[in-house]
Amino acid sequence: MGINGHRRELSLVQKVQRKLRYYEQQVLAPVKYLAYATGQTKFVPPPDRMYIESTNICNLKCIMCPTGRGEVTRPKGFMDFDVFRQIVDEMAPYVKATTLHIWGEPLLHKRIVDMVEYCSAKGLRSEISTNATLLTEEKSRQLLEAGLSAIYLSLDGMRPETYESVRVNADFERTNQNIRRFIEIKSTDHYDTYVNLQIIQMQQTVDEIDEFVETWSIPGVDRIHVKAFDSWAGQVDEINELRAYEPDLPAKRYPCPNLWYHVHIYWDGSISMCDRDFNSRFPLGSVIDEDGKVRVMKNWNGPRMQELRRRHIENDLDDVFPCNHCTEWAWWKPTFSTSQGNRPVEEGDAQRDPNRLQKSSTLVVYDRPSTARHTDAK
């Protein structure tokens, strides 16, 4: 039947599966919030969102990225497809979506399209974030045919000199061509993959953001994300110096919601508190059990995760690295009925520019630009 026929044949089934899971997740939302709000550490419901690291290898040396700067010292590799399959088999009924990236460039994984297709067959939303340097026309069509739910396309800059100084080893014109061709194929062939085009707020890009938003407000781009700068828990001084705005933190620290809502699984099966522990300094076990079987939930509520949740509840983090240096814990906070992704946006921050709507229905999202304080960092 082929990939194309397979995708269309399953589309109705996938929609029904996702709709049923949506309602199930809505029912579970208050239960999850109560587990978080009451400080439950042991019997925590399944996470909302799953992050799977297909690989931690990258083809670029981006200046704001611990991988690109050579700060990630744990072993490099690619997730075994059978491990991936077992993870999805267990967690697809529970999580709202899974990314197929944490660190590294997911398009380097030889079976990334198979991963997307497997998620589609299980009725699970799949997403990837890519630097788009390897997003050829062939790869674009394969991902779209496989049923990719969302793609985050990173393009940091409107000038070759800006972009190439940030995304070291990338070519500005080629990346632009790859992105535009992906959008063209998506629009022409009516795929429903959600396209999120993003630029990071940093010193190198801040003066080009308005032009970026205006230029990319085109049909086929569903959202333009002006993404907050992530310091990766302030671990690397050279990265901290790239920040365009100082973080705006609450007066009192609350437990990081990631530990109740997001599960992060690295390529080798190890569980991390979040992507900011990029070297697994606080290991939480492995989803691969001693008998070789994959068991995610066993580790999601395992003893090390319970201990970390307790430390957050008690704000006993002085010797918990990198939590003790982190500011990104304040990026979001769940409510009784809702939880959101890992980015600093509050109600009312997501906005549609009425003037831009005359030309495009693109949603433009800023991450707290009005409340951030500009730094004097050079």
Side-chain angles (χ1 to χ4, degrees):
M1 182 179 295
I3 294 177
N4 189 52
H6 181 64
R7 182 182 67 87
R8 288 189 170 86
E9 182 182 2
L10 290 180
S11 61
L12 179 59
V13 175
Q14 293 164 12
K15 288 178 181 178
V16 171
Q17 288 176 324
R18 289 175 182 175
K19 183 62 68 174
L20 288 174
R21 287 175 185 174
Y22 170 79
Y23 289 123
E24 290 172 355
Q25 290 154 358
Q26 291 299 102
V27 170
L28 277 176
V31 178
K32 294 181 180 183
Y33 176 73
L34 287 174
Y36 172 77
T38 62
Q40 177 60 248
T41 64
K42 186 175 182 180
F43 300 107
V44 175
D48 267 10
R49 191 167 177 83
M50 180 164 64
Y51 293 79
I52 295 176
E53 182 182 71
S54 50
T55 181
N56 64 343
I57 298 172
C58 191
N59 59 324
L60 300 186
K61 297 186 179 299
C62 302
I63 61 174
M64 68 295 186
C65 176
T67 296
R69 300 187 67 94
E71 302 288 343
V72 178
T73 57
R74 60 188 169 90
K76 300 290 196 297
F78 298 89
M79 178 169 281
D80 179 79
F81 188 78
D82 185 61
V83 171
F84 168 81
R85 179 184 58 77
Q86 291 185 65
I87 292 171
V88 171
D89 287 348
E90 179 183 354
M91 300 303 294
Y94 306 113
V95 298
K96 294 179 180 178
T98 185
T99 74
L100 302 178
H101 62 270
I102 300 181
W103 295 103
E105 169 51 52
L107 297 188
L108 286 171
H109 198 295
K110 293 181 179 180
R111 300 200 66 178
I112 190 65
V113 174
D114 294 332
M115 289 177 166
V116 172
E117 191 168 37
Y118 194 79
C119 289
S120 298
K122 292 293 180 176
L124 175 63
R125 287 183 56 84
S126 63
E127 306 175 357
I128 64 170
S129 177
T130 175
N131 59 42
T133 59
L134 305 176
L135 191 63
T136 62
E137 179 170 341
E138 179 184 10
K139 186 66 69 176
S140 296
R141 292 189 183 278
Q142 290 174 343
L143 290 168
L144 291 165
E145 284 290 328
L148 183 66
S149 300
I151 189 168
Y152 300 82
L153 300 167
S154 302
L155 186 65
D156 295 300
M158 287 300 299
R159 307 281 180 275
E161 57 271 23
T162 302
Y163 171 79
E164 292 172 7
S165 70
V166 173
R167 299 274 174 177
V168 178
N169 292 341
D171 181 272
F172 179 75
E173 295 299 336
R174 180 176 298 174
T175 305
N176 269 266
Q177 290 172 8
N178 289 347
I179 290 174
R180 290 191 178 276
R181 185 57 180 145
F182 183 93
I183 295 168
E184 180 183 0
I185 296 170
K186 176 228 172 175
S187 300
T188 302
D189 294 343
H190 307 292
Y191 290 100
D192 57 5
T193 300
Y194 192 87
V195 173
N196 183 325
L197 194 65
Q198 61 187 29
I199 184 171
I200 299 174
Q201 292 177 351
M202 52 193 300
Q203 290 186 47
Q204 285 80 353
T205 64
V206 69
D207 292 333
E208 299 177 19
I209 286 175
D210 288 344
E211 184 181 357
F212 182 91
V213 171
E214 183 65 29
T215 299
W216 288 102
S217 294
I218 60 175
V221 176
D222 299 291
R223 184 172 80 167
I224 296 175
H225 184 194
V226 182
K227 185 180 179 183
F229 183 81
D230 199 323
S231 74
W232 310 115
Q235 300 174 67
V236 183
D237 290 341
E238 291 82 1
I239 293 179
N240 295 337
E241 292 171 0
L242 303 175
R243 189 193 295 274
Y245 301 104
E246 287 289 349
D248 189 23
L249 300 177
K252 183 178 180 181
R253 181 161 186 163
Y254 52 82
C256 180
N258 282 328
L259 305 181
W260 281 261
Y261 283 86
H262 297 165
V263 62
H264 290 73
I265 306 172
Y266 285 155
W267 71 268
D268 60 356
S270 58
I271 287 187
S272 175
M273 61 176 72
C274 75
D275 49 359
R276 293 170 191 92
D277 189 10
F278 47 78
N279 279 322
S280 295
R281 294 279 295 274
F282 198 97
L284 296 173
S286 173
V287 301
I288 306 172
D289 247 342
E290 293 180 358
D291 61 2
K293 299 294 184 182
V294 169
R295 296 179 177 91
V296 179
M297 284 303 299
K298 176 181 176 181
N299 289 273
W300 171 247
N301 283 321
R304 288 285 285 173
M305 181 65 90
Q306 292 177 42
E307 172 67 8
L308 183 58
R309 288 172 181 146
R310 182 192 65 77
R311 299 284 293 269
H312 270 256
I313 291 166
E314 298 176 1
N315 198 16
D316 178 20
L317 300 172
D318 288 347
D319 61 345
V320 179
F321 188 88
C323 300
N324 53 0
H325 294 290
C326 188
T327 59
E328 285 82 18
W329 60 268
W331 272 15
W332 67 287
K333 193 174 185 181
T335 69
F336 188 78
S337 59
T338 62
S339 64
Q340 66 179 56
N342 191 17
R343 65 182 190 84
V345 62
E346 296 175 337
E347 185 177 357
D349 281 344
Q351 55 188 301
R352 288 182 184 270
D353 185 331
N355 297 320
R356 189 170 293 109
L357 277 174
Q358 297 175 8
K359 297 184 294 181
S360 170
S361 59
T362 303
L363 177 64
V364 181
V365 179
Y366 294 85
D367 283 348
R368 290 184 181 171
S370 60
T371 60
R373 299 187 297 276
H374 199 280
T375 74
D376 294 325
K378 296 181 180 179

